[in-house]
Amino acid sequence: MSIYDIEVTHINGNKQQLSDYRDRYMVIVNTASQCGLVGQLEDLEELYQTFKEEGVVVLGFPSNQFMNQEPLGNEEIQTFCETTYNVSFPLFEKIDVNGDSAHPLYQYLVKETKNKKIKWNFTKFLVAPEEASITRFAPTTSPKKVKKEIELLIKSN
């Protein structure tokens, strides 16, 4: 199994295969609107705008598994992200990222990064095209550091 075999559901209910992103860099992040790190949405949007023409996409997956910091429903999450942080990158349905009910995407990402469970909101994963590499970043790691990693990967290709 690869990451590209996984199906995800957009926040509006439309289904999508991650294989659609096979030739792109994916920055996958679990988000929460009431988290103290929510300001990272602004930097993630900047990262997306800076690199989308170079094949980078940010994929946001809201989760309410950490101190109920995502109490909003899917429509409310979308409105909040768009109006407060001008988010235009794809957002997906609220999911679990840990435990038996964890979404298959997060089960896969955790397995591929040394089986360390997701510690908090805004854990970020950078998946290179064709899944050449998966790099994991802590919740407190700034998207600006992820940006530097993307720049290095793009230059090396």
Side-chain angles (χ1 to χ4, degrees), residues 65 95-108 110 118:
Q65 283 196 288
I95 61 168
D96 285 345
V97 297
N98 283 324
D100 293 339
S101 61
H103 189 280
L105 172 59
Y106 274 81
Q107 290 177 18
Y108 184 84
V110 165
I118 306 300

Side-chain angles (χ1 to χ4, degrees), residues 13-66:
N14 293 335
K15 305 249 185 241
Q16 182 177 18
Q17 292 295 129
L18 287 177
S19 58
D20 292 347
Y21 300 115
R22 181 181 295 277
D23 61 344
R24 300 181 76 183
Y25 294 91
M26 293 186 286
V27 178
I28 299 169
V29 57
N30 60 306
T31 65
S33 62
Q34 307 301 306
C35 179
L37 300 173
V38 70
Q40 288 189 20
L41 287 173
E42 191 173 329
D43 291 335
L44 288 163
E45 177 63 23
E46 180 184 324
L47 186 151
Y48 176 60
Q49 291 301 325
T50 300
F51 290 111
K52 67 182 181 180
E53 299 300 320
E54 295 182 66
V56 175
V57 64
V58 175
L59 307 176
F61 290 88
S63 180
N64 194 36
Q65 283 196 288
F66 305 101

